[in-house]
Amino acid sequence: DTGVSQDPRHKITKRGQNVTFRCDPISEHNRLYWYRQTLGQGPEFLTYFQNEAQLEKSRLLSDRFSAERPKGSFSTLEIQRTEQGDSAMYLCASSSQGARSPLHFGNGTRLTVT
Amino acid sequence: GIQVEQSPPDLILQEGANSTLRCNFSDSVNNLQWFHQNPWGQLINLFYIPSGTKLNGRLSATTVATERYSLLYISSSQTTDSGVYFCAVERGSNYKLTFGKGTLLTVNP
């Protein structure tokens, strides 16, 4: 068990560019979540996958955001035409199948849009 | 949506002191978890505790679901306990945790 892995750790991009983040969950976990955290706030839910199916999306996830989890393994989160308001820490978490299993978070990807 | 309020927002302790952090929530929940975010940003799951009491070393947590609050106790605090403590709850079956704003704990040597 190597924990949840996220890549990259930091990303600086110019407004209008597209960015993609990757998350590798704990291998036996079939549930995967994306959250976003801004300074001084708790994480906010973005989306949830069970295996490869995206079952829940927050209204925070505008049409510039897309998430995938092909084959139910790793996941990617893409932001198109980035805006300064997208600057935040993007956190990935995973959990096992059991009812209400605890979430395990990765170290996050810190995005700065200039 | 469900509201989560944590208190106090900030807490400064000397090493060795005990503390109690509180989490109030506005509706019935079927999932409550406590997390510690260290100064490097890593979020660590401390407890999954929708009801009852759990103990883990110097930490313990109690959730009184009928009264809509949870308490996190830290005993004999250490400098490594510093960071932000978050309470997060889920209502229903949408697997979406709602986090509070956290309690920033600073433990001084």
Side-chain angles (χ1 to χ4, degrees):
Chain A
D1 178 359
T2 57
V4 178
S5 176
Q6 292 188 248
D7 183 71
R9 288 297 308 277
H10 304 274
K11 178 71 177 179
I12 300 173
T13 191
K14 292 187 176 180
R15 189 175 53 187
Q17 298 295 304
N18 299 342
V19 294
T20 300
F21 311 140
R22 178 181 170 122
C23 171
D24 287 272
I26 293 172
S27 57
E28 62 268 25
H29 287 179
N30 67 336
R31 292 176 180 162
L32 186 146
Y33 313 78
W34 286 98
Y35 283 77
R36 182 172 70 184
Q37 187 178 23
T38 54
L39 200 61
Q41 303 295 318
E44 294 175 292
F45 172 83
L46 292 179
T47 190
Y48 155 66
F49 289 86
Q50 180 155 313
N51 299 311
E52 66 276 10
Q54 188 174 19
L55 298 184
E56 187 78 24
K57 282 176 65 171
S58 164
R59 276 171 273 178
L60 292 175
L61 219 63
S62 75
D63 54 8
R64 295 185 298 106
F65 288 70
S66 63
E68 294 182 343
R69 193 182 182 198
K71 302 178 184 177
S73 55
F74 70 93
S75 176
T76 58
L77 178 68
E78 181 183 16
I79 309 174
Q80 296 183 325
R81 305 181 303 281
T82 52
E83 301 172 356
Q84 287 188 320
D86 297 332
S87 296
M89 175 76 86
Y90 290 83
L91 295 161
C92 178
S94 70
S95 69
S96 63
Q97 178 70 35
R100 308 299 186 260
S101 298
L103 260 62
H104 298 269
F105 279 88
N107 287 328
T109 293
R110 181 166 296 283
L111 173 66
T112 302
V113 181
T114 62
Chain B
I2 193 166
Q3 304 299 311
V4 182
E5 292 186 3
Q6 292 188 242
S7 60
D10 303 277
L11 185 59
I12 299 174
L13 300 174
Q14 287 300 121
E15 205 166 21
N18 302 329
S19 62
T20 301
L21 282 55
R22 186 176 180 104
C23 171
N24 292 333
F25 41 95
S26 61
D27 209 337
S28 59
V29 299
N30 50 17
N31 183 355
L32 188 147
Q33 301 185 32
W34 282 96
F35 295 87
H36 174 222
Q37 189 165 40
N38 65 25
W40 297 271
Q42 175 71 47
L43 267 166
I44 305 295
N45 192 295
L46 299 175
F47 293 102
Y48 165 69
I49 185 166
S51 63
T53 297
K54 287 188 177 179
L55 177 67
N56 183 4
R58 296 180 297 102
L59 302 181
S60 65
T62 295
T63 297
V64 184
T66 53
E67 297 187 22
R68 300 179 186 169
Y69 73 88
S70 183
L71 302 173
L72 178 69
Y73 305 95
I74 304 174
S75 65
S76 305
S77 58
Q78 301 175 357
T79 57
T80 51
D81 295 331
S82 295
V84 183
Y85 289 81
F86 289 104
C87 167
V89 302
E90 177 196 336
R91 171 173 169 73
S93 59
N94 59 8
Y95 300 99
K96 174 183 118 174
L97 280 176
T98 299
F99 282 73
K101 290 190 173 182
T103 292
L104 174 60
L105 176 65
T106 303
V107 181
N108 292 321

